[in-house]
Amino acid sequence: MTIHSPPKDWFKWPHGHERLWIGLALVWCLIMFAMMPYWHFNGKQNSTGESYAVEPDAFVERVEQFTAANKVGEDPASGIPIVEPPPGGDAYLLGRMWSWTPTLKLRQGETYRLHISSADLQHGFSLQPMNMNFQVLPGYDHVLTLTPTTTGEFTIVCNEFCGIGHHAMIGKIIVE
């Protein structure tokens, strides 16, 4: 078998229904391209995002200081501290194999700046039952502006496979 060059007149311009389908596909691509920025700004599901470079050890230290300054209790089952940041203030949440710490206690209607990072590897922050998903990477302080609108206990799960204890990586946000 040898490789042959195609004949010089092999290319035929689309005609008839081919032109129609190519035109429809092009229009659909343009619509989808325009929807991405539209949905980002008007869909209210994506963080417009602030993120800062931070050394993982420095972020762990910030979380420990935040926890020590604002601790109001401890989860009896897990021993994870329950922390209540001042309304309108900053709150810190750390993901590491295989836990989210601390448990945050927030007030309905107050706005918080939630700093999230990882101490070790990539985790996924998924707040249930809200449809809020976010990738959490070590070395970055991701800041989400959050205003709880309903009371209750909201579960945080890791939605990025992070190892053998991934299934147990569960945290909590309490809104009162």
Side-chain angles (χ1 to χ4, degrees), residues 26-37:
L26 180 62
V27 168
W28 187 246
C29 287
L30 292 173
I31 289 171
M32 296 304 288
F33 182 77
M35 285 302 293
M36 286 188 286

Side-chain angles (χ1 to χ4, degrees), residues 89-145:
D90 291 325
Y92 290 86
L93 187 65
L94 177 67
R96 63 178 153 203
M97 293 188 293
W98 292 282
S99 67
W100 294 101
T101 189
T103 294
L104 296 174
K105 191 174 183 181
L106 307 177
R107 293 178 191 254
Q108 181 184 14
E110 297 289 342
T111 299
Y112 299 89
R113 288 173 40 90
L114 179 59
H115 298 257
I116 305 173
S117 190
S118 168
D120 42 35
L121 44 90
Q122 181 176 358
H123 296 286
F125 172 87
S126 179
L127 187 61
Q128 302 296 323
M130 317 298 287
N131 188 17
M132 185 175 186
N133 297 292
F134 205 76
Q135 294 297 307
V136 180
L137 301 167
Y140 292 94
D141 176 359
H142 302 281
V143 183
L144 304 174
T145 302

Side-chain angles (χ1 to χ4, degrees), residues 60-94:
V60 170
E61 191 175 314
R62 286 183 204 169
V63 172
E64 289 171 351
Q65 289 173 354
F66 166 74
T67 301
N70 299 289
K71 184 176 177 180
V72 294
E74 191 170 290
D75 186 321
S78 65
I80 293 176
I82 299 172
V83 174
E84 185 174 358
D90 291 325
Y92 290 86
L93 187 65
L94 177 67

Side-chain angles (χ1 to χ4, degrees), residues 5-12:
S5 299
K8 289 187 179 207
D9 62 344
W10 69 273
F11 181 77
K12 307 285 187 228

